[in-house]
Amino acid sequence: MRSLLAAGLLAAAGSIASAGPYIGLGIGSGPSLSNNTIANPEQTSRSGRLLLGYSFRMPVGRLSIEGEANRFDFDLNGMAMSSTMAGAGLKYSFPLGSGFEVFGRGGLQRTWLSDGGYAGDGDGYYLGAGFELRIPIFGSVFVDYEHQSATIDSATSTTYDQSAGMFTLGATVNL
């Protein structure tokens, strides 16, 4: 009887912990980049991601409001550049069973590019999909692919489109 009560409490704690605020970190592949003005920008580093979110339990699955920040470095025509993205969007997770979920996310973003002398920024969007394993009480581990796209404007009136796609492995912690 005690083991049944303990199992019930753990199951209830896992379902309660699955909704609410969370924070996450991820490390990703070097981005696959494209640019409409300079051929073959070259990635030079891994990508990093920070997530802050709040999830809501739905009748089927979970809906989350997320804020995210990404950063990576790349080489653009021989010039070392840094790209930083901050975005806000929605994520929907659909349960597959045994704690596994498939999810899709999308939102609007702002991207900043910089090096020693160049600065540019612009607005765009991001879309992603992946798989997640929920760990009761703790949070989750996930793997996903995300595509980011933005139109960058600079102080020199140069405008170009930047797209980046990357795989990320990460974890979230329930707060």
Side-chain angles (χ1 to χ4, degrees), residues 9-156:
L9 287 174
L10 281 176
S15 65
I16 291 169
S18 67
Y22 60 90
I23 187 168
L25 287 174
I27 186 164
S29 62
S32 169
L33 292 166
S34 66
N35 178 306
N36 68 334
T37 59
I38 298 171
N40 301 321
E42 182 182 339
Q43 60 88 7
T44 58
S45 72
R46 296 209 172 272
S47 58
R49 184 181 304 161
L50 171 68
L51 297 168
L52 293 172
Y54 194 95
S55 69
F56 301 91
R57 292 189 50 179
M58 306 294 286
V60 175
R62 172 185 342 274
L63 181 66
S64 302
I65 298 171
E66 281 188 341
E68 73 172 79
N70 287 295
R71 185 169 176 101
F72 58 85
D73 296 326
F74 63 99
D75 187 50
L76 189 61
N77 224 14
M79 186 172 26
M81 303 286 289
S82 292
S83 178
T84 304
M85 182 279 268
L90 295 175
K91 173 182 163 189
Y92 178 74
S93 301
F94 182 80
L96 298 175
S98 299
F100 285 96
E101 298 176 349
V102 63
F103 66 84
R105 70 162 51 102
L108 300 176
Q109 57 126 333
R110 182 83 174 165
T111 297
W112 295 268
L113 293 180
S114 62
D115 77 345
Y118 174 86
D121 55 28
D123 296 321
Y125 67 91
Y126 64 94
L127 295 171
F131 293 95
E132 192 164 24
L133 172 62
R134 294 256 163 227
I135 302 168
I137 302 171
F138 169 74
S140 69
V141 292
F142 68 89
V143 62
D144 72 2
Y145 179 81
E146 186 169 284
H147 173 81
Q148 304 170 3
S149 182
T151 300
I152 308 296
D153 296 314
S154 72
T156 61

